[in-house]
Amino acid sequence: SSSSWITKTTSITGKWREMYFKLRRFHSKYGHSNVPPSYTQDPALAKWVQRQRAQYKKHHISTSSSTEHDRPKRKRTSSLLTSERIEALQSLDFSFLP
Protein backbone atom coordinates (compact mmCIF):
# COMPACT_ATOMS: atom_id res chain seq x y z
CA SER A 1 0.00 0.00 0.00
CA SER A 2 1.22 3.51 -0.79
CA SER A 3 0.65 4.64 2.79
CA SER A 4 2.36 1.73 4.58
CA TRP A 5 5.36 3.95 5.35
CA ILE A 6 3.10 6.20 7.49
CA THR A 7 3.00 3.57 10.23
CA LYS A 8 6.74 3.77 10.79
CA THR A 9 7.05 7.55 11.04
CA THR A 10 6.67 9.84 14.01
CA SER A 11 5.59 13.08 12.31
CA ILE A 12 2.47 11.56 10.76
CA THR A 13 0.44 11.34 13.96
CA GLY A 14 -2.55 12.78 15.76
CA LYS A 15 -4.68 15.47 14.16
CA TRP A 16 -2.40 15.80 11.12
CA ARG A 17 -2.76 12.10 10.37
CA GLU A 18 -6.56 12.33 10.78
CA MET A 19 -6.77 15.25 8.33
CA TYR A 20 -4.39 13.54 5.92
CA PHE A 21 -6.71 10.53 5.77
CA LYS A 22 -9.67 12.87 5.15
CA LEU A 23 -7.71 14.33 2.25
CA ARG A 24 -6.98 10.81 1.02
CA ARG A 25 -10.70 10.03 0.99
CA PHE A 26 -11.34 13.31 -0.87
CA HIS A 27 -8.66 12.32 -3.41
CA SER A 28 -10.22 8.88 -3.88
CA LYS A 29 -13.65 10.40 -4.44
CA TYR A 30 -12.73 13.30 -6.74
CA GLY A 31 -9.44 12.18 -8.32
CA HIS A 32 -7.47 15.21 -7.06
CA SER A 33 -6.42 16.87 -3.81
CA ASN A 34 -7.35 20.47 -4.59
CA VAL A 35 -9.94 21.03 -1.88
CA PRO A 36 -11.59 24.38 -2.62
CA PRO A 37 -11.54 27.01 0.17
CA SER A 38 -15.34 27.04 -0.01
CA TYR A 39 -15.72 23.25 0.43
CA THR A 40 -18.93 23.15 2.47
CA GLN A 41 -18.96 19.36 3.01
CA ASP A 42 -15.87 19.69 5.24
CA PRO A 43 -14.79 23.28 6.02
CA ALA A 44 -12.14 21.94 8.45
CA LEU A 45 -10.47 20.02 5.62
CA ALA A 46 -10.52 23.12 3.40
CA LYS A 47 -8.82 25.16 6.16
CA TRP A 48 -6.30 22.39 6.83
CA VAL A 49 -5.33 22.27 3.14
CA GLN A 50 -4.75 26.05 3.18
CA ARG A 51 -2.60 25.67 6.32
CA GLN A 52 -0.49 22.98 4.63
CA ARG A 53 0.21 25.37 1.76
CA ALA A 54 1.18 28.15 4.19
CA GLN A 55 3.39 25.73 6.15
CA TYR A 56 5.02 24.61 2.91
CA LYS A 57 5.97 28.22 2.13
CA LYS A 58 7.50 28.53 5.61
CA HIS A 59 9.31 25.20 5.16
CA HIS A 60 10.66 26.34 1.80
CA ILE A 61 11.91 29.65 3.28
CA SER A 62 13.48 28.04 6.36
CA THR A 63 15.36 25.44 4.30
CA SER A 64 16.65 27.85 1.65
CA SER A 65 20.37 28.01 1.10
CA SER A 66 20.90 31.68 2.03
CA THR A 67 23.21 32.35 4.95
CA GLU A 68 21.97 33.77 8.25
CA HIS A 69 23.39 37.27 7.66
CA ASP A 70 21.76 37.47 4.20
CA ARG A 71 18.32 37.05 5.72
CA PRO A 72 16.31 40.11 6.73
CA LYS A 73 16.43 40.98 10.42
CA ARG A 74 13.26 39.22 11.51
CA LYS A 75 12.19 36.30 13.57
CA ARG A 76 13.05 33.01 11.90
CA THR A 77 9.97 31.16 10.74
CA SER A 78 9.81 27.46 11.22
CA SER A 79 7.40 25.05 9.65
CA LEU A 80 5.41 22.23 11.17
CA LEU A 81 5.46 20.59 7.76
CA THR A 82 8.21 17.97 7.85
CA SER A 83 9.74 16.30 4.81
CA GLU A 84 7.73 13.17 5.67
CA ARG A 85 4.50 15.15 5.64
CA ILE A 86 5.43 16.80 2.34
CA GLU A 87 6.10 13.35 0.89
CA ALA A 88 2.72 12.11 2.16
CA LEU A 89 0.93 15.04 0.53
CA GLN A 90 2.86 14.60 -2.70
CA SER A 91 1.72 10.98 -2.82
CA LEU A 92 -1.80 12.42 -3.30
CA ASP A 93 -0.66 14.78 -6.07
CA PHE A 94 -1.16 17.67 -3.65
CA SER A 95 -0.55 21.10 -5.16
CA PHE A 96 1.33 23.39 -2.79
CA LEU A 97 0.32 26.38 -4.90
CA PRO A 98 -3.23 27.65 -4.42
Side-chain angles (χ1 to χ4, degrees):
S1 141
S2 65
S3 64
S4 60
W5 56 271
I6 290 176
T7 57
K8 63 185 176 193
T9 183
T10 56
S11 70
I12 310 286
T13 58
K15 186 71 173 171
W16 198 96
R17 181 185 175 110
E18 177 187 326
M19 296 306 290
Y20 170 77
F21 281 108
K22 280 187 172 194
L23 181 62
R24 231 172 79 175
R25 284 191 296 275
F26 179 95
H27 182 269
S28 291
K29 184 174 183 179
Y30 297 105
H32 64 82
S33 297
N34 297 321
V35 181
S38 59
Y39 186 56
T40 55
Q41 288 93 326
D42 193 341
L45 179 60
K47 273 188 175 174
W48 182 81
V49 163
Q50 289 177 309
R51 272 196 311 276
Q52 300 319 298
R53 290 182 175 132
Q55 289 295 318
Y56 181 76
K57 282 182 188 173
K58 285 183 181 182
H59 177 82
H60 192 67
I61 290 167
S62 69
T63 58
S64 69
S65 61
S66 64
T67 61
E68 195 63 43
H69 67 81
D70 289 338
R71 291 192 183 124
K73 300 277 188 233
R74 65 182 172 138
K75 203 169 157 183
R76 235 180 129 217
T77 54
S78 61
S79 172
L80 301 174
L81 196 60
T82 64
S83 297
E84 290 165 319
R85 289 177 175 186
I86 290 170
E87 189 179 322
L89 291 170
Q90 287 173 332
S91 75
L92 298 178
D93 301 320
F94 185 80
S95 171
F96 290 98
L97 302 172

